Amino acid sequence: MSINHTDKNIVYEGRIGKNADHTAQEIYWSGSSIKINFEGTTVKAILKDENGKNYFNVIIDGTKFDTLSLNPEKNTYTLAKDLPSGKHSVELTKRNEWTYGTTLFYGFEILGTKILPKDEEKSVFIEFYGDSITTGHGNEDYSGDDKSEGDVTNNYNTYAAMTARNINAEYSCIARGGIGIMVSWFNMIMPEMYYRLNPNDVNSKWDFSKKQADIMVVNLFQNDSWILNRPDYVEFKQRFKDQKPNEKQIIKAYGTFIKTLREKNPTASIVCVLGNMDITKKGSLWPEYVQTAINALNDKKIHTCFVPYKNTKGHPKVEEHKVIAKALTQLIKSKIMIN
């Protein structure tokens, strides 16, 4: 039984587009997911990866997890076989970030009796804007090398995806490792990326009116905090020439970005997160910058969540993501989802 990518019983989460001839869905962003319910014993997916560097989680019945490594050719991948008769679900979630290339999804092939109705639509939609912490850079890498490849990076096990599951929310992750609000480790900043459907295309625009977020979470400034102390770095020079931004300019830049998100989502609750890398280390002024920017906006639906410094090397591991998820989930449940 062939299930086309346009089948109404497939549930997509994340900003997902279509290829030029509309024969497949285009998967870009970390954490993007594809799910279907069915009765059958074998399920396969037809996929083509741009560079053969993307990895996906294969989740069967919500409990059995495998990692799928893709190659550049169009292939039919067996996701599960010899399943017991009865009802099943399969979900694919993208582990690594969009810089590894776009994946085309053409559909499923199922050996079974029928496709089952999709799950009930989730009542809350949460969207995250972040950097490598939010993508999950190396969160499953315990070698000490702090690698970023999809075999050791798993967005499903980030604080962002955990928080979404904790509140049973539809999930979207707009993030890239190394990105900042004022300056990044490459020639793009979040105000130049946040609006994109296809992150590779400056002219590809997400329709915010089509899908309004109920909660928007921003976890940025970690990279700004580093690069602003590196006046010889090429991106510092490109953005600021030879003049480091002062505190007022830093605060204004953050507030301006939050106001931009507010304009796109007039009714959303916004949570401004910092942590748990050294931006929240004792003595850091960056939490004060963010709090000052938020106070100036005088918006009762904007909250802050500053998570203490983890005091370990490299990017957060899964256990350290759980700390952020716990704090963020508690804030959302106590201050946003109180009704």
Side-chain angles (χ1 to χ4, degrees):
M1 181 188 308
S2 296
I3 312 300
N4 190 271
H5 66 99
T6 59
D7 192 285
K8 65 180 181 180
N9 291 303
I10 298 176
V11 175
Y12 295 98
E13 287 193 12
R15 292 186 188 177
I16 295 173
K18 286 186 173 67
N19 62 345
D21 59 5
H22 287 209
T23 58
Q25 304 294 138
E26 291 187 335
I27 313 299
Y28 325 103
W29 302 95
S30 306
S32 298
S33 68
I34 309 163
K35 184 179 181 180
I36 195 167
N37 300 321
F38 64 97
E39 286 187 3
T41 57
T42 298
V43 58
K44 303 177 181 180
I46 306 168
L47 301 159
K48 181 179 181 182
D49 199 54
E50 182 178 359
N51 298 313
K53 295 183 178 180
N54 278 308
Y55 292 77
F56 282 74
N57 294 305
V58 180
I59 307 170
I60 303 297
D61 299 336
T63 57
K64 184 179 181 297
F65 289 74
D66 287 309
T67 300
L68 178 65
S69 175
L70 303 185
N71 57 55
E73 294 77 28
K74 183 179 179 181
N75 277 304
T76 300
Y77 297 87
T78 299
L79 307 180
K81 61 181 180 179
D82 299 326
L83 295 170
S85 59
K87 298 179 180 179
H88 297 286
S89 67
V90 61
E91 183 175 10
L92 294 170
T93 72
K94 192 172 189 293
R95 292 171 64 98
N96 48 339
E97 65 177 86
W98 63 264
T99 53
Y100 286 88
T102 299
T103 301
L104 296 179
F105 168 72
Y106 294 88
F108 291 110
E109 289 186 359
I110 294 174
L111 180 60
T113 57
K114 61 181 177 179
I115 304 304
L116 300 175
K118 60 186 178 182
D119 296 344
E120 183 178 344
E121 185 174 353
K122 296 172 182 176
S123 60
V124 176
F125 173 36
I126 187 168
E127 186 156 62
F128 289 78
Y129 295 86
D131 52 32
S132 55
I133 300 173
T134 305
T135 64
H137 178 114
N139 61 340
E140 294 182 353
D141 177 20
Y142 294 90
S143 69
D145 295 332
D146 208 25
K147 296 178 180 178
S148 63
E149 291 80 4
D151 57 339
V152 292
T153 289
N154 186 1
N155 186 268
Y156 188 89
N157 282 333
T158 61
Y159 80 93
M162 291 177 193
T163 300
R165 293 195 298 276
N166 287 345
I167 62 172
N168 192 33
E170 182 180 344
Y171 171 57
S172 179
C173 178
I174 308 305
R176 177 179 173 179
I179 204 164
I181 289 179
M182 304 180 74
V183 63
S184 305
W185 295 103
F186 43 84
N187 188 22
M188 179 193 288
I189 55 177
M190 183 58 80
E192 298 164 353
M193 187 184 81
Y194 82 96
Y195 65 86
R196 299 185 187 187
L197 168 59
N198 181 343
N200 300 286
D201 184 357
V202 67
N203 296 313
S204 176
K205 296 183 179 180
W206 174 248
D207 184 356
F208 285 90
S209 66
K210 182 178 179 181
K211 188 72 178 181
Q212 288 277 296
D214 299 291
I215 304 170
M216 308 180 86
V217 179
V218 178
N219 190 357
L220 292 163
F221 257 0
Q222 175 66 49
N223 294 299
D224 304 73
S225 73
W226 279 44
I227 302 170
L228 287 189
N229 292 317
R230 289 165 170 76
D232 293 332
Y233 187 66
V234 60
E235 295 301 334
F236 181 104
K237 292 179 179 179
Q238 178 178 324
R239 298 284 177 180
F240 314 122
K241 298 187 178 353
D242 58 355
Q243 186 64 49
K244 178 180 177 178
N246 59 36
E247 290 187 356
K248 287 185 178 180
Q249 290 169 320
I250 294 170
I251 292 166
K252 182 180 179 181
Y254 193 91
T256 297
F257 180 62
I258 299 301
K259 283 195 293 185
T260 299
L261 292 182
R262 165 60 73 222
E263 290 168 0
K264 297 295 185 182
N265 289 264
T267 63
S269 294
I270 301 174
V271 184
C272 299
V273 175
L274 288 181
N276 54 0
M277 293 180 72
D278 63 3
I279 198 168
T280 53
K281 191 175 183 178
K282 185 177 180 179
S284 171
L285 295 174
W286 291 83
E288 182 181 337
Y289 297 157
V290 170
Q291 191 65 63
T292 301
I294 298 312
N295 291 344
L297 294 177
N298 194 27
D299 184 331
K300 293 182 179 179
K301 297 190 76 173
I302 301 179
H303 311 269
T304 57
C305 181
F306 302 152
V307 184
Y309 176 44
K310 62 187 178 64
N311 199 23
T312 58
K313 292 182 178 179
H315 286 75
K317 305 308 171 193
V318 175
E319 294 78 10
E320 293 164 329
H321 276 274
K322 289 179 180 179
V323 174
I324 309 176
K326 181 179 179 180
L328 181 55
T329 301
Q330 288 177 343
L331 183 146
I332 291 172
K333 287 184 175 181
S334 64
K335 295 187 176 181
I336 296 174
M337 298 178 68
I338 55 178
N339 295 322

